[in-house]
Amino acid sequence: MAAIVIASRNEHKIEEIRRLLAGLDVDVLSLKDYPDAPEVDEDGAAFQDNALKKARVIARFTGLTALADDSGLEVDSLGGQPGVRSARFAGETASDAENNRKLLRCLAEVPSEERQAQFRCVIALVSRTGAESLVEGTCQGVIIEEERGSGGFGYDPLFLLPHLGKTFAELSMEEKNELSHRGKALQQVLPIVQEWLEQGLI
Ligand code: IMP
């Protein structure tokens, strides 16, 4: 059977992508099925670079079609930071709490009307035959002055969706998946996988 490997060990991401591809005649694997797969350094200057690099390495290693994502938060008044460094904003091994504290420190002098930000997610698909495709999803919001909500992860408690009056951390997982950068990017993956299956690329 045709197969896709998700270049991730993150249970939540794997499950979300499995659900999306559930109706298709394709076996969905992940790096949990390949414990010896190489670690890929996310050292690119843009989300696209990291996502493509991961998908290329894993497609080559497994001989199968690979899907990889890279995502992060871009804050307008910080010139798009933390961006590709979102996970490591407060240091190489920083926790979510440390990254959030640093973000609040950086924005301490920034008034509420200038605290716009967006999450961005890029997903790369590399087929076992070498075809490549990139899709992107974004979600606009503002960074509030103190954390709200207990759901999600990362910067979720500081990221407010003004039209809902709720942070990402105050949404259910289903609500977040509908609106989020990752959800929007994933919705574009389905037709590409369908097309590649029809063309025998997967
Ligand atoms: P990755 O693409 O999963 O490696 O995510 C990189 C980093 O971006 C995460 O460690 C978080 O700091 C941040 N990030 C990405 N997506 C989200 C999200 O949906 N909520 C909160 N933080 C996120």
Side-chain angles (χ1 to χ4, degrees):
M1 197 211 249
I4 290 186
V5 189
I6 304 164
S8 173
R9 293 188 170 84
N10 177 322
E11 200 64 73
H12 173 80
K13 271 189 203 171
I14 296 168
E15 186 49 36
E16 199 180 329
I17 298 168
R18 271 226 170 89
R19 239 182 285 169
L20 177 90
L21 301 176
L24 300 180
D25 204 16
V26 63
D27 209 6
V28 182
L29 307 170
S30 76
L31 291 189
K32 296 194 159 200
D33 301 295
Y34 293 93
D36 298 331
E39 286 296 326
V40 181
D41 250 351
E42 300 192 20
D43 55 2
F47 298 116
Q48 286 90 322
D49 303 333
N50 289 332
L52 252 186
K53 183 176 173 188
K54 272 190 280 186
R56 283 175 181 156
V57 169
I58 299 306
R60 209 173 305 130
F61 180 78
T62 60
L64 299 172
T65 296
L67 180 158
D69 79 329
D70 195 31
S71 59
L73 178 71
E74 299 169 337
V75 180
D76 293 359
S77 65
L78 300 179
Q81 281 201 68
V84 286
R85 296 194 45 81
S86 289
R88 294 159 283 150
F89 191 38
E92 282 308 312
T93 57
S95 64
D96 287 347
E98 288 165 337
N99 286 331
N100 283 338
R101 272 201 298 276
K102 177 165 179 189
L103 182 60
L104 287 180
R105 271 202 314 278
C106 291
L107 295 179
E109 308 298 324
V110 179
S112 54
E113 64 276 14
E114 289 171 27
R115 294 171 74 104
Q116 289 87 353
Q118 63 210 320
F119 277 116
R120 186 181 301 277
C121 174
V122 172
I123 297 180
L125 280 158
V126 174
S127 83
R128 64 179 168 80
T129 59
E132 297 187 344
S133 189
L134 281 169
V135 296
E136 179 178 285
T138 58
C139 183
Q140 313 287 332
V142 297
I143 304 302
I144 53 174
E145 288 171 14
E146 54 185 42
E147 298 192 10
R148 270 172 45 185
S150 55
F153 70 101
Y155 299 98
D156 280 353
L158 291 176
F159 187 79
L160 181 84
L161 296 158
H163 66 289
L164 292 182
K166 285 183 178 180
T167 66
F168 260 0
E170 293 176 309
L171 300 180
S172 68
M173 194 189 291
E174 289 72 26
E175 285 172 319
K176 184 181 164 188
N177 288 346
E178 286 256 312
L179 299 166
S180 79
H181 48 309
R182 193 169 299 102
K184 288 180 187 164
L186 272 175
Q187 283 156 25
Q188 301 170 62
V189 164
L190 189 60
I192 297 169
V193 173
Q194 276 167 328
E195 192 184 320
W196 283 10
L197 277 170
E198 282 162 22
Q199 294 172 350
L201 301 183
I202 293 180

